[in-house]
Amino acid sequence: LTVRLGPFFKFYGSKYRIAPLYPAPLYDTLIEPFAGSASYATLHHTRQVGLAEVDPDVAAVWRYLISVDGQEIAKLPVCDGPDALPAGFDLRGLDVPEPARLLIRYWQRVGQSRCWTVSKWGHLSGFWCARTRDRLAAQVEHIRHWRILEGSLVGAMPRGKGTWFIDPPYQAQSTVYGDAPDFALLGRWVRALPGQVIVCEAPSATWLPFVKLTEARVGPSITGKSHAKRTEMIWTNSEGNT
Ligand SMILES: C[S@@+](CC[C@H](N)C(=O)[O-])C[C@H]1O[C@@H](n2cnc3c(N)ncnc32)[C@H](O)[C@@H]1O
């Protein structure tokens, strides 16, 4: 039995909660070409994981997590306890490696992930508290064999077969992370990939014949308001391409 790792960082559009609902990987090679917080790879972390990410901050955090000594993580300052970083503190002033600043920044809030100040909820459980830090310090040992490419794999055609978990920006909100993907190109690419291909989308997407996966409730917000259910769609070539 392998342990379920917790999320490595908070990320807008994270599939952490619903990752177990997608088909299990059929191949030992598992590629997430739109990494973000890489929830599917985190669930199946023992596979030969390859990530790709165009956002240099996200890529830098993954490079750090894959190679950092857990003891270094365990020494990072947190937002609870005796030496807590106070709400409003500017994380750019921290005397820690730059990717550690980025990591702590991603743990502050989901929606405005480029905001550098400590959130007023930062001390709560599930945020950057000692418990989260110590969990990360332990779980980085599980991803030493992962690889991260800073850039885009879209259009590249590898020879070997693998499981491809494709979670691009939703077509309906295609610019939330930066430039919108070319969905026509993306559709041709995912249909041609060698192996098992799983693609995530929202109900209005038209670039593949998506079907309903689940209705996921976005967790209750910090203010206690419960969030509406959102329908998650999936396309998969369940038998795998040859
Ligand atoms: C919906 S998010 C992925 C969320 C992820 N599944 C998770 O669980 O956190 C999409 C990610 O793809 C990245 N991205 C957008 N276009 C890309 C491309 N052409 N190649 C690689 N990454 C890309 C965005 O920066 C963003 O991090």
Side-chain angles (χ1 to χ4, degrees):
L1 197 79
T2 52
V3 286
R4 174 143 203 215
L5 303 183
F8 281 92
F9 49 92
K10 289 185 177 293
F11 199 71
Y12 181 76
S14 167
K15 295 291 191 289
Y16 188 82
R17 280 163 190 263
I18 62 169
L21 302 182
Y22 293 94
L26 297 173
Y27 295 91
D28 194 37
T29 299
L30 193 170
I31 303 159
E32 270 207 62
F34 293 85
S37 67
S39 301
Y40 186 77
T42 300
L43 179 61
H44 303 289
H45 60 90
T46 61
R47 308 294 172 119
Q48 298 309 308
V49 168
L51 308 178
E53 173 57 59
V54 290
D55 183 321
D57 288 354
V58 176
V61 169
W62 279 119
R63 280 194 298 269
Y64 179 70
L65 291 169
I66 289 169
S67 61
V68 70
D69 184 343
Q71 296 302 312
E72 182 179 320
I73 297 261
K75 287 187 207 134
L76 294 175
V78 288
C79 305
D80 64 344
D83 301 314
L85 301 169
F89 180 86
D90 189 327
L91 296 165
R92 286 168 291 195
L94 276 186
D95 184 22
V96 298
E98 176 63 11
R101 289 187 202 117
L102 289 166
L103 174 67
I104 299 172
R105 186 184 79 181
Y106 282 120
W107 273 104
Q108 298 309 311
R109 43 180 84 69
V110 175
Q112 307 150 279
S113 62
R114 285 173 208 283
C115 175
W116 279 101
T117 54
V118 168
S119 137
K120 61 179 166 174
W121 308 302
H123 61 286
L124 296 177
S125 86
F127 287 79
W128 187 247
C129 54
R131 198 166 161 222
T132 303
R133 175 196 61 195
D134 296 346
R135 173 174 66 71
L136 276 200
Q139 76 177 44
V140 289
E141 304 304 329
H142 294 282
I143 63 168
R144 298 298 182 217
H145 61 292
W146 287 22
R147 298 279 179 272
I148 167 78
L149 169 90
E150 182 175 336
S152 177
L153 283 175
V154 177
M157 202 46 70
R159 280 204 203 114
K161 285 197 191 185
T163 290
W164 297 79
F165 187 82
I166 316 262
D167 185 19
Y170 292 144
Q171 190 174 22
Q173 315 165 24
S174 59
T175 58
V176 287
Y177 304 98
D179 294 338
D182 175 340
F183 287 99
L185 171 70
L186 203 52
R188 289 194 297 278
W189 184 59
V190 303
R191 282 178 185 277
L193 284 170
Q196 176 191 20
V197 185
I198 300 164
V199 186
C200 311
E201 254 292 4
S204 58
T206 55
W207 57 282
L208 283 175
F210 293 99
V211 297
K212 183 172 161 179
L213 172 73
T214 186
E215 281 180 30
R217 196 180 287 284
V218 184
S221 71
I222 198 77
T223 54
K225 278 185 214 141
S226 69
H227 288 182
K229 283 186 174 176
R230 270 184 311 130
T231 300
E232 280 293 332
M233 307 294 280
I234 182 176
W235 178 86
T236 177
N237 63 348
S238 49
E239 301 84 51
N241 288 333
T242 44

